[in-house]
Amino acid sequence: MKKINFIMLLGTISICTLGYSQDTLTISRKDIWQKASDKNLQIKIAEKSYQSAQADYRQSNALFLPNISASHTAISTTNPLMAFGSKLNQEILTASDFNPALLNNPAKTKNFATKIEILQPLINVDGLYGRQAAKSKMEAFQLQTERTKEYLELEVSKSFMQLQLAYKAVKVLEKASATADANLKLIENYFKQGILQKTDLLSVQVRVNEIKNQLQYAKSNVQNASDYLAFLLDEDNSNKVYKPLEELENTIAIENIDTKLSDNRKDIQAMSKSSEAYQKMLQSSKMNFLPRLNAFGSYEMYDDKLFGTTAKGYLVGAQLSWNVFDGYKSIGKMEKAKADFQKYEIETQQYKAQSQLELNKTNRQLRDAENKVNLSKLALEQSQEAYRIRSNRFTQGLEKTTDLLQSETQMFQKELELLQAVFEYNFTQQYLQFLTK
């Protein structure tokens, strides 16, 4: 899980400023998820993967349904055998056609044949297991699609909170800028009265410029968070910026979450279905050694004219086929299916172990984040009180300018740290819920 250190971002990210000509779109947490579930590209990709697996499963219907084909063939021949057979199929043979001279050197014969063929599988055991494997694969993709939606819901929520944090940081720095301007005005008056030296005035001016620079970066970060949210929603965010309807709270809600890894989690279930598919493929490769039984039939029409149907006949039958030896091809296929199944079983075991490890880690991070919020809140209260005392003492000439600036900087820094801590706790809590869902 990646955390965003907002304070570092304010000092290091250098991107174009937030233009005042941009349109501001107000969004709520509820509406944003509805838009994301309908338009997000990652969900669309997952749904197409499921549809592809579904199409593979539908192909296995050929195991039960007949294969019907129709053809019309036209030939012109002087081949003795073909000429005799064509006349025989057309039912136009006469006694004179048995003349050896005509049999050996027939005249040009035309034949037009219309044929309808039906192939019907009856017993195909390896195909049955292959169909079951395709079904398990389809169900695995369906579960994976649902898990993708759950992950997107988490990502959208995180992005929304980042946007809230960005706006909250802008407010804090705007307040810091106003406080710095007020202090600068006070210092300028003291300097004109000869109470303070020019170095004090320069220090305050440097501080004012630093805050304004940080404020500009904070506004740029609002645009960055807005752009990423637009990406998740698959919307064009040119000359637009999102604004959350709900503001980021500076308090947290404690919840008790079961930290045991559930086998009902969608991605765990998807892996179980995939493992089942590999197992069915192994069984299918074993059943490949058994014979197959198929029925076939055809209805044929012959004539010496195009699309003619003067002579008619049918053919029905059944075939039992058994591939006794194919040069170790079937044996190699079975061994490969066995190795693939065993490999995936190990991968599933590894994935579950890693998921439990991530779950334990996130649970500890949640406790650490809760402690960080409490300490940050206490530190903010202490820094606010310290600034109030120093500000009063400074107006009485009892504090140095550098001490006042240090106290002011610390106060707003602690306020930003509290916002960051609240964001980290809320996201860690949601991430833990995602891991246990």
Side-chain angles (χ1 to χ4, degrees), residues 278-326:
Y278 277 106
Q279 186 180 27
K280 295 298 182 182
M281 289 303 298
L282 173 59
Q283 292 175 325
S284 176
S285 64
K286 291 180 179 179
M287 296 300 107
N288 192 44
F289 294 98
L290 298 179
R292 299 180 180 88
L293 179 61
N294 299 299
F296 59 89
S298 65
Y299 187 75
E300 304 169 8
M301 292 169 283
Y302 299 93
D303 206 312
D304 58 356
K305 298 178 181 179
L306 185 64
F307 299 114
T309 59
T310 302
K312 303 178 180 64
Y314 70 87
L315 173 69
V316 294
Q319 181 186 48
L320 181 66
S321 61
W322 193 348
N323 193 354
V324 179
F325 182 72
D326 57 2

Side-chain angles (χ1 to χ4, degrees), residues 69-314:
S69 62
S71 64
H72 185 77
T73 306
I75 65 170
S76 177
T77 182
T78 58
N79 180 280
L81 181 61
M82 293 296 295
F84 184 83
S86 297
K87 288 185 177 182
L88 183 62
N89 284 330
Q90 295 174 17
E91 301 176 359
I92 59 173
L93 278 178
T94 63
S96 62
D97 290 317
F98 288 91
N99 185 340
L102 293 177
L103 286 175
N104 292 325
N105 189 20
K108 182 174 67 173
T109 303
K110 294 181 179 179
N111 185 51
F112 298 91
T114 301
K115 188 175 184 180
I116 300 175
E117 291 182 289
I118 299 178
L119 298 176
Q120 175 63 58
L122 297 179
I123 299 177
N124 192 341
V125 182
D126 61 325
L128 289 174
Y129 281 107
R131 176 179 170 84
Q132 293 174 7
K135 183 179 181 181
S136 296
K137 178 185 175 183
M138 178 187 69
E139 292 172 346
F141 272 101
Q142 183 179 19
L143 290 166
Q144 198 61 49
T145 300
E146 293 175 6
R147 186 60 175 175
T148 300
K149 291 181 179 179
E150 292 177 352
Y151 173 76
L152 178 66
E153 187 175 2
L154 172 70
E155 191 67 17
V156 167
S157 179
K158 175 186 175 182
S159 178
F160 187 79
M161 288 190 297
Q162 287 174 347
L163 189 62
Q164 288 177 314
L165 179 62
Y167 272 100
K168 202 75 173 181
V170 169
K171 283 189 176 182
V172 171
L173 290 170
E174 285 176 343
K175 183 171 62 175
S177 180
T179 301
D181 288 339
N183 287 337
L184 177 60
K185 187 174 181 181
L186 180 64
I187 296 298
E188 287 175 343
N189 290 333
Y190 285 166
F191 175 72
K192 291 177 182 179
Q193 297 172 17
I195 299 176
L196 296 177
Q197 298 179 0
K198 189 172 183 179
T199 54
D200 295 318
L201 177 60
L202 292 174
S203 297
V204 176
Q205 289 175 337
V206 170
R207 172 60 182 162
V208 169
N209 291 332
E210 286 178 349
I211 293 178
K212 291 186 182 299
N213 189 42
Q214 289 181 350
L215 178 59
Q216 188 58 61
Y217 281 123
K219 290 180 178 180
S220 295
N221 201 59
V222 169
Q223 184 65 66
N224 296 337
S226 182
D227 287 346
Y228 183 63
L229 198 54
F231 165 73
L232 293 178
L233 300 179
D234 190 28
E235 291 186 350
D236 183 11
N237 200 37
S238 302
N239 297 321
K240 294 179 183 178
V241 62
Y242 291 116
K243 183 176 182 180
L245 186 63
E246 305 91 351
E247 289 191 355
L248 180 69
E249 300 292 337
N250 57 0
T251 57
I252 59 175
I254 308 298
E255 293 184 12
N256 293 324
I257 302 175
D258 186 11
T259 57
K260 183 179 179 181
L261 183 65
S262 174
D263 288 336
N264 293 327
R265 215 172 75 176
K266 295 294 189 300
D267 55 338
I268 302 295
Q269 287 183 323
M271 295 200 73
S272 178
K273 284 293 181 181
S274 296
S275 179
E276 183 179 318
Y278 277 106
Q279 186 180 27
K280 295 298 182 182
M281 289 303 298
L282 173 59
Q283 292 175 325
S284 176
S285 64
K286 291 180 179 179
M287 296 300 107
N288 192 44
F289 294 98
L290 298 179
R292 299 180 180 88
L293 179 61
N294 299 299
F296 59 89
S298 65
Y299 187 75
E300 304 169 8
M301 292 169 283
Y302 299 93
D303 206 312
D304 58 356
K305 298 178 181 179
L306 185 64
F307 299 114
T309 59
T310 302
K312 303 178 180 64
Y314 70 87

Side-chain angles (χ1 to χ4, degrees), residues 7 250 370-388 390 406-419 421-422:
I7 298 174
N250 57 0
E370 180 184 352
N371 184 59
K372 184 178 180 180
V373 169
N374 295 332
L375 293 178
S376 298
K377 186 176 181 181
L378 179 61
L380 175 60
E381 293 172 353
Q382 293 171 341
S383 63
Q384 288 174 336
E385 180 64 17
Y387 175 74
R388 186 188 66 81
R390 288 188 184 277
Q406 182 180 4
S407 180
E408 176 201 340
T409 302
Q410 186 182 53
M411 178 181 65
F412 290 113
Q413 181 181 356
K414 293 304 177 184
E415 188 169 358
L416 289 173
E417 287 179 356
L418 175 59
L419 294 174
V422 170

